[in-house]
Every structure is written in structure tokens, then in C-alpha cells.
Amino acid sequence: MTLLAIESSCDETSAAIIQDGRILSNIISSQWVHQQFGGVVPELSARAHLRWITGITEACFTEAGITKHDLTAIAVTYGPGLMGPLLVGVNFAKSLAYSLDIPVIPVNHIESHLYANFLDGNHPGLPFIGLIVSGGHTLIVRVDEGFIYRVLGQTRDDAAGEAFDKIAKMLGLGYPGGPQVDKLAKTGNPHFVELPRPMIHSGDFDFSFSGLKTAVKIYLNSNKELASTHINDVCASVQDAITDVLVTKTKKAAIAHGIKDIVIAGGVSANSRLRSAFNELSEKQGYRIFLPPPVLSTDNAAMVGLLAELKSANQTLQPNLELSPVPNLVI
Ligand code: KG4
Ligand code: ZN
């Protein structure tokens, strides 16, 4: 099976070629136009996708050493995401599939993040616990056989990535803020500011990050000078608070369900502190932790293709231009 996969849900235009579980090419173009606005502007994002999608797809074919006539199907992210940007990817995929008379496979973006961990035959076993942490979502799921998902908990307000981005903005760092906080935190003291760990002891698996954001705001308002000379320490304190909550709650879910395989996914899974905290959990307490390679943590088309291939392995694909939501995961 040879798949072209397309991802355009937010500010990364990406195309990939997947063949029998291997990534032959995966090209990601990040849109820097949003930096000046401190967040993604949907209309600008849609226009940038439109400008780049054809060239990126052609480059993908060249890198993979195939042509469009070798394709079995085209996988595309249908949501969740920004409407304009999604429409660019979906219509591109549908048009190309129509011209080649091959099927389109609609893929849920959140679900696909998990499958950035399904590379080289090193799969987690079923059932597994998944922590999906991105700019728009933060949730813990239990995944059983047949791609059946149970959402165990999710954020009641901001996503973890959103908290990173908004706090970074308060600190005068650029967008996206997560990678910048991560970089500065490397030389910072995580105990410099005492920050809350919202909902860490709640009896459920939900999260809340807006109170943490407020706590940082209050701290900055009354410690302007100190904070400006200790920005690395503030970043390390913020990162530690977010990581602490994510790791503690994921571990609680794994214990409650008696599951040892934990899959971490989404943009925030690129965070170095989060990665080391989960690796520590694996070394000290015997959990099998699956973390994607950093390039597959943030949005990319390879994960879309990997999931589409797994899902279609047991189904007969028909040329189908109607995109209906995949029923298993409704978020
Ligand atoms: O999954 P993703 O690429 O896009 C969405 O689906 O939202 O996630 C983007 C989020 C942003 O909030 C970004 O700041 C965060 O992932 N992120 C990070 C790091 N790299 C990306 N957060 C913390 N540390 C990082 N190294
Ligand atoms: Zn994403």
C-alpha cells in the first residue's frame, strides 16, 4: 500500500508518503507569518497552505522516488482544526484522488497524533493509555482493540500547549512559545517561583491550566524586575508545574486501569522536561513509555498516513469522495 498523506489543520503544511508502515518522505513547512501576531491567523494560514501544498506534495513524490500513479489512496486530516486551512487540504486531497480514481481516507487529527508512535514495528500493546497534549487539546484516553477510544479526562479550559504559548507571550517570548520556554528552562531553576499544580489531586483525570496562567500573571505584576532578570528560572518553574500535572495524572490513569503501556503525543510531547519525566517513570516504575521522535511530535502528515494505513488494513477501500467523520473518536 502506498499512501499520500496531507495535513493542514493549523499552521503546518505537510505531505508525506507512507508505504507498508515506512515513511518514504515527510515534508513539513511551518508558517512563520503568524509570529508578528502572537498567534495563528486562520485566513493567513489558509492562504499559505494554498500557496505551498502543491509544491510540497511534488517534493514528497521526488524524495520518495515515486509518482502519483503509484498511489493506492490519499489520507487527509478532516478535523478538528481551523476551517479554512482544513478545507485547503481536504479539497486538494479530493481533487487529486478524483483525478487518479483512488480513495480518500479521512483522518482525525487528534487520533493521528497517537500514531506518530507506531513506527518500525515498535508498537505499544493494547490496551494503552494515551496522553495527547497539543496547542488545542489536552486529554487522556484509553485505547482498546479496534481503535476504540475512551476519553478518561480532558482539560476544562486551556490546553497545555496553549498555557505554554500564553505564558510565553506574557514573558515577551515569540510564538509558538512552548519551544522557547523549553529552551530557556534548560538553564533555569524549577523551584524559583512556587506555582500551583491545578487539579493535581482531583479524583478524576481532568486538567485545568487557566489558573496557572493567572498565577504567573499575578507573579509577574508584582515582581517585574526580578522576573526580567530571571526569565530562565520563571520558564523552568512554569515548565515544571505543567509537566508535574501531566505526568502525575497520566500515571494515576495508568494505575487506575492497570495498564503499563503509555503513549505520549502532540506538540507538547517535544518538551524536554516532559520527555525526561516520562523516561524516569519508565526507568523507576517499569512503565513502557512511547514518545514520538521530536519531528513527529508537532503537526506532520506522516502520522496521518501511518494511522490511515493501519485503519485501512482491515477494510476494502473504495473510491469515495464523501468525507464522513471516523466514528470511533468524537472529541
Ligand atoms: O500538535 P501541535 O503541533 O499543534 C496542534 O495540534 O495544536 O502542537 C502545538 C503546540 C504549541 O502550543 C506549541 O507551543 C507546543 O505544541 N510545543 C511545545 C514544544 N514544542 C511545541 N510545548 C512545550 N515544549 C516544546 N518543546
Ligand atoms: Zn496537532
Side-chain angles (χ1 to χ4, degrees):
M1 181 165 214
T2 305
L3 284 180
L4 166 67
I6 301 288
E7 157 62 39
S8 71
S9 63
C10 193
D11 56 344
E12 261 90 27
T13 314
S14 181
I17 305 291
I18 304 295
Q19 194 175 58
D20 304 326
R22 284 178 309 127
I23 302 173
L24 300 191
S25 58
N26 180 37
I27 298 180
I28 306 163
S29 165
S30 296
Q31 304 172 354
W32 298 111
V33 62
H34 309 289
Q35 270 187 353
Q36 59 191 301
F37 303 104
V40 179
V41 182
E43 178 61 23
L44 293 179
S45 173
R47 290 179 195 205
H49 286 305
L50 205 51
R51 197 171 313 125
W52 291 107
I53 201 159
T54 309
I56 286 174
T57 303
E58 280 168 0
C60 251
F61 286 131
T62 307
E63 200 177 304
I66 65 158
T67 75
K68 62 185 178 187
H69 301 290
D70 297 315
L71 295 177
T72 319
I74 301 179
V76 63
T77 303
Y78 74 84
L82 302 171
M83 189 51 73
L86 282 169
L87 282 172
V88 175
V90 166
N91 283 309
F92 179 81
K94 285 171 79 173
S95 314
L96 187 55
Y98 180 70
S99 74
L100 297 168
D101 197 26
I102 58 174
V104 175
I105 307 172
V107 170
N108 180 300
H109 179 75
I110 303 305
E111 187 183 3
S112 69
H113 266 300
L114 287 171
Y115 293 85
N117 286 285
F118 278 62
L119 279 171
D120 306 326
N122 183 27
H123 296 185
L126 288 166
F128 67 81
I129 294 290
L131 170 71
I132 307 164
V133 267
S134 71
H137 294 82
T138 294
L139 64 160
I140 297 179
V141 293
R142 175 191 164 124
V143 184
D144 286 279
E145 208 144 339
F147 302 97
I148 305 298
Y149 301 83
R150 185 149 31 116
V151 178
L152 304 180
Q154 55 192 314
T155 184
R156 296 188 184 178
D157 40 58
D158 292 351
E162 192 180 353
F164 268 113
D165 294 340
K166 287 181 174 166
I167 292 171
K169 197 170 177 180
M170 288 179 208
L171 295 170
L173 305 172
Y175 181 87
Q180 315 230 26
V181 171
D182 190 355
K183 194 169 150 201
L184 295 178
K186 283 190 185 2
T187 51
N189 169 12
H191 308 295
F192 185 73
V193 193
E194 209 172 299
L195 291 170
R197 268 70 173 152
M199 294 187 70
I200 199 164
H201 298 304
S202 67
D204 54 24
F205 305 118
D206 281 351
F207 300 97
S208 165
F209 292 105
S210 70
L212 175 64
K213 205 174 56 186
T214 309
V216 175
K217 178 101 188 133
I218 291 168
Y219 170 80
L220 292 178
N221 283 347
S222 44
N223 296 277
K224 258 192 198 89
E225 271 179 35
L226 187 66
S228 68
T229 51
H230 287 82
I231 189 155
N232 296 25
D233 297 323
V234 177
C235 286
S237 305
V238 168
Q239 184 173 269
D240 211 52
I242 296 176
T243 303
D244 201 5
V245 180
L246 293 174
V247 176
T248 304
K249 291 229 137 169
T250 307
K251 186 180 149 191
K252 280 186 181 172
I255 292 171
H257 286 256
I259 292 175
K260 282 281 180 187
D261 283 11
I262 301 177
V263 175
I264 321 297
V268 179
S269 70
N271 183 268
S272 57
R273 174 76 194 110
L274 189 76
R275 294 176 84 90
S276 62
F278 273 115
N279 282 330
E280 217 170 282
L281 195 65
S282 157
E283 279 157 26
K284 293 193 177 150
Q285 299 184 35
Y287 288 95
R288 288 212 309 163
I289 303 292
F290 294 83
L291 284 154
V295 69
L296 299 184
S297 287
T298 45
D299 291 350
N300 67 87
M303 64 188 191
V304 176
L306 287 166
L307 172 57
E309 197 178 50
L310 276 172
K311 278 207 160 179
S312 55
N314 299 326
Q315 291 166 19
T316 313
L317 295 176
Q318 304 291 341
N320 170 19
L321 300 175
E322 290 309 315
L323 291 180
S324 56
V326 181
N328 300 346
L329 184 65
V330 180
I331 294 167

